[in-house]
Amino acid sequence: MRLMKPLQELFPFLTQQPRRVVVTMHQKPDPDAMGSSLGLAHFLRKLGHEVTVISPTNWADFLKWMPGCKQVIDYEAAKERADAVLDQAEWLFCLDFNTFSRTRHMAAKLQSMSCVKVLVDHHEEPQTAAFTYGISVIPMSSTAELIYQFIVDSGHGNLIDIATAECLYAGVMADTGSFRFSVTSSSVHEMVAHLKKTGFDHSRVHEQIYDNFLENRLRFIGHVLSNRMEVLYEYNTAIIAVPKSDILKYNIRTGDTEGLVNYPLSILGIKLAALVIDRDEERKWSFRSKGDFDCNSFARKYFEGGGHFNAAGGRSSEGVDENVRKFKLALKETASQLQ
Ligand code: 5GP
Ligand code: MN
């Protein structure tokens, strides 16, 4: 396997001449994907580069407050414009994903590009052969922290302003579960201390991300926790299966189901929480675990997915009921790891 050159080798080029840069992220971006991408974009613009941020798909309303988010191109909604920008790109930064397939309809385009490609990610089993430069650190809290280190290590930590700090903080806050997951290292807190010195308002960031939903979303959560959650105590597991009819009835949009999978983990003894949602074109899985259950391997083996040890996703083209059946069979096979 070809190795990516370390990011440090890119540092001299950062200040050499202005480049046309595209920053992109995984589909249906979460706060870490969008926050790290916008944070990097703010930084590179300060160095004089021409930067465009492209998301493979649309994104949740709770990301729209982020400085620079209004200028992000939605690839699905503006493919021609995005392709024209990609054709001109000299550098392509790919943030918070490990394989091009995570960029949905953009994957073929990204794969075909011959410019300098840079990967910055923290997911298991990255497609390193496709990138010229890059860093992929699995035990890292977030891509936002990797971007922070990139900025500081390149000698430009002084360029981090309030806008950059807000974006990077949102990413690391979300991926650490507000600084509670085990990935929250001392370096995360040191980073936050540095970001705070810009004077940004961290409680506003929490509010924008977590207290920014409509009434229907809370009623939807109440409904699915009451009626769609099954607790399988023999496997220390809980599963929530959401049919299309619930999505339509409660007018659920991109981002409204973010965090739903975490609720069952608050039940005493539950080690694995799973959520399957009937999306238009596929059934989307989310897995979360506490302790030593490996969600990444489970998602890879059974549901065409992957991610991190304690948080992973997957998909299936089969119906919800069939997926639940498959999940229960998979649990049986994996039972010893859930005791
Ligand atoms: P979520 O459940 O929030 O969609 O995803 C949980 C974690 O797993 C996130 O870090 C996400 O980027 C990753 N993830 C979600 N779906 C997939 C997938 O299909 N493949 C891989 N490799 N990672 C995924
Ligand atoms: Mn992330």
Side-chain angles (χ1 to χ4, degrees):
M1 188 166 50
R2 202 186 76 185
L3 286 180
M4 302 183 290
K5 292 188 219 170
L7 279 187
Q8 287 86 324
E9 291 187 22
L10 201 58
F11 293 164
F13 299 106
L14 289 176
T15 47
Q16 200 183 48
Q17 68 187 76
R19 309 271 179 170
R20 285 184 300 274
V21 183
V22 169
V23 181
T24 190
M25 62 201 90
H26 62 73
Q27 61 147 322
K28 301 285 175 186
D30 55 13
D32 188 38
M34 186 62 89
S36 58
S37 296
L38 289 173
L40 176 64
H42 291 310
F43 166 65
L44 293 175
R45 284 187 194 120
K46 287 207 162 184
L47 291 177
H49 303 289
E50 190 187 316
V51 188
T52 308
V53 181
I54 303 178
S55 166
T57 63
N58 68 349
W59 51 90
D61 286 349
F62 62 71
L63 298 177
K64 292 185 177 163
W65 61 272
M66 284 189 185
C69 196
K70 276 195 187 68
Q71 288 77 46
V72 176
I73 301 178
D74 171 353
Y75 190 79
E76 284 185 344
K79 183 171 181 305
E80 263 177 40
R81 200 171 128 229
D83 277 341
V85 176
L86 286 165
D87 285 337
Q88 295 293 315
E90 294 167 277
W91 293 350
L92 173 73
F93 280 84
C94 295
L95 267 50
D96 205 37
F97 65 83
N98 49 359
T99 69
F100 285 126
S101 63
R102 299 273 289 128
T103 64
R104 197 132 99 185
H105 301 305
M106 230 175 132
K109 180 74 184 173
L110 298 185
Q111 208 123 28
S112 74
M113 289 167 63
S114 56
C115 69
V116 169
K117 294 179 185 171
V118 187
L119 176 74
V120 183
D121 183 46
H122 66 139
H123 292 90
E124 308 260 358
E125 300 178 49
Q127 194 181 358
T128 51
F131 295 90
T132 330
Y133 299 92
I135 184 161
S136 168
V137 185
I138 309 307
M140 187 56 71
S141 68
S142 56
T143 301
E145 188 184 358
L146 288 168
I147 292 297
Y148 169 79
Q149 286 182 350
F150 173 70
I151 297 173
V152 171
D153 292 350
S154 71
H156 300 287
N158 59 318
L159 293 183
I160 297 178
D161 58 7
I162 288 187
T164 312
E166 285 180 337
C167 295
L168 296 181
Y169 182 83
V172 70
M173 172 200 79
D175 267 26
T176 58
S178 297
F179 311 102
R180 70 182 262 235
F181 300 154
S182 56
V183 288
T184 315
S185 59
S186 58
S187 63
V188 166
H189 290 287
E190 279 159 11
M191 163 188 172
V192 171
H194 179 182
L195 297 181
K196 272 302 285 179
K197 287 179 186 154
T198 64
F200 89 98
D201 180 353
H202 70 273
S203 57
R204 193 182 84 95
V205 173
H206 283 256
E207 236 172 74
Q208 299 278 16
I209 301 261
Y210 296 118
D211 304 334
N212 212 353
F213 296 103
L214 302 178
E215 178 187 337
N216 66 319
R217 189 230 180 208
L218 203 58
R219 297 206 181 277
F220 166 78
I221 289 174
H223 164 71
V224 296
L225 292 181
S226 286
N227 304 306
R228 308 294 184 210
M229 182 175 74
E230 192 178 349
V231 183
L232 307 158
Y233 285 105
E234 65 274 38
Y235 299 118
N236 297 315
T237 293
I239 176 177
I240 301 174
V242 181
K244 178 63 80 38
S245 53
D246 287 352
I247 300 286
L248 297 174
K249 181 175 172 201
Y250 288 89
N251 192 22
I252 291 306
R253 292 181 302 163
T254 299
D256 282 343
T257 55
E258 187 84 25
L260 178 57
V261 63
N262 292 309
Y263 285 91
L265 281 186
S266 66
I267 302 172
L268 182 68
I270 294 301
K271 287 187 172 171
L272 171 64
L275 168 72
V276 58
I277 300 179
D278 197 352
R279 295 269 180 225
D280 293 333
E281 65 284 9
E282 62 185 13
R283 263 44 61 205
K284 175 76 180 77
W285 279 98
S286 287
F287 305 101
R288 299 290 186 274
S289 68
K290 277 189 303 211
D292 56 4
F293 184 82
D294 182 358
C295 292
N296 171 57
S297 300
F298 186 83
R300 253 170 218 283
K301 184 167 177 194
Y302 297 106
F303 294 103
E304 302 170 37
H308 310 286
F309 193 89
N310 293 123
R315 66 182 52 76
S316 162
S317 53
E318 293 169 313
V320 171
D321 293 346
E322 179 57 19
N323 266 281
V324 172
R325 205 182 61 79
K326 263 180 79 175
F327 176 75
K328 287 181 178 172
L329 286 176
L331 274 188
K332 226 178 225 171
E333 284 185 21
T334 323
S336 63
Q337 294 164 42
L338 285 161
Q339 296 317 309

